[in-house]
Amino acid sequence: MRRLAEEYPGNAKELCALNHENPYQLLVATILSAQSTDETVNKITPAFFKRYPTPVDLARANPDEVEEVIHASGFFRSKTKSLIGMGRALEERFGGEVPPDLDDLDSLPGVGRKTGNVVRSVAFGLPGLPVDTHVMRLVRRLKLTNETDPVKIELDLNGIVEPEERGALSLRLILHGRRVCKARKPQCDVCALNDICPSAFRV
């Protein structure tokens, strides 16, 4: 954790690549980021938030118009359904505000545990350890867990990572997975963890 913090300094909010100004915007951006890139999402969201600045605006949106705005993110029909459903749930059940509780977040359309943990750790500064494909790959290579289920991996990591460090660690693992510890050709020769990683030079 110390070495990754040196490689990728900053807190969870600073490390997050999705542009946002509040929990609602981060929630939308994270939903849009599924099967897409952060760069693509950051190109879409300015126009999206200009048209739908609040969950209430989104709840009352025309699906065809939402699809048009988010088309470039891919899977735009299912994402539109999730986004409008999420906006309606926030309006009807949470007074138009994004809740910080993980179970509440998990209950929203289009929001699973991973997205909920992103919003908790980045937007609210609360404990949350999102487990995506990069995190799964790296912690298994580092032998920090033998689990393959994301929830079980999260719980394993929660047992060894201080609550206030969880969000930043997840984002650092994601950055390291994208830049160095890649799925097919990990660059072990330039990895800051190569002397303590059980999988170094063996993948």
Side-chain angles (χ1 to χ4, degrees):
M1 285 175 58
R2 283 195 298 271
R3 292 187 192 185
L4 287 174
E6 290 172 7
E7 292 284 312
Y8 312 101
N11 60 33
K13 190 171 182 65
E14 293 164 340
L15 290 164
C16 181
L18 294 169
N19 297 336
H20 66 281
E21 295 177 359
N22 55 53
Y24 161 68
Q25 290 191 359
L26 180 59
L27 187 53
V28 168
T30 307
I31 290 171
L32 289 173
S33 71
Q35 306 297 316
S36 188
T37 66
D38 296 336
E39 292 78 14
T40 298
V41 173
N42 287 336
K43 289 176 184 174
I44 292 169
T45 48
F48 186 97
F49 296 134
K50 189 171 183 180
R51 189 173 290 195
Y52 313 110
T54 71
V56 175
D57 296 309
L58 183 56
R60 296 167 187 170
N62 180 317
D64 292 338
E65 292 177 4
V66 174
E67 286 182 8
E68 187 179 329
V69 175
I70 70 167
H71 192 277
S73 74
F75 299 94
F76 57 91
R77 288 192 180 90
S78 62
K79 288 180 183 179
T80 293
K81 187 177 178 182
S82 294
L83 288 165
I84 293 175
M86 177 268 288
R88 287 175 180 162
L90 290 179
E91 180 183 19
E92 292 166 6
R93 290 165 40 211
F94 300 103
E97 298 290 332
V98 176
D101 182 79
L102 184 57
D103 289 336
D104 289 339
L105 287 163
D106 197 17
S107 74
L108 299 171
V111 181
R113 192 173 179 91
K114 180 179 76 172
T115 297
N117 272 321
V118 170
V119 174
R120 271 179 63 82
S121 60
V122 175
F124 290 109
L126 295 170
L129 207 159
V131 176
D132 77 342
T133 54
H134 295 292
V135 174
M136 290 176 68
R137 181 174 72 254
L138 269 66
V139 297
R140 285 177 57 79
R141 284 179 178 172
L142 288 162
K143 306 297 185 199
L144 297 178
T145 182
N146 291 316
E147 300 291 351
T148 56
D149 176 73
V151 176
K152 291 180 179 177
I153 290 173
E154 179 194 338
L155 296 177
D156 269 1
L157 294 175
N158 284 350
I160 56 175
V161 180
E162 293 294 328
E164 64 273 13
E165 290 291 332
R166 291 171 188 166
L169 175 64
S170 171
L171 288 163
R172 289 178 183 129
L173 288 168
I174 291 168
L175 288 170
H176 197 63
R178 287 175 177 170
R179 298 177 187 177
V180 180
C181 192
K182 300 175 183 180
R184 294 187 179 174
K185 289 189 177 180
Q187 299 171 351
C188 298
D189 55 323
V190 296
C191 179
L193 308 176
N194 62 16
D195 62 324
I196 57 173
C197 175
S199 304
F201 303 105
R202 296 181 183 180
V203 181

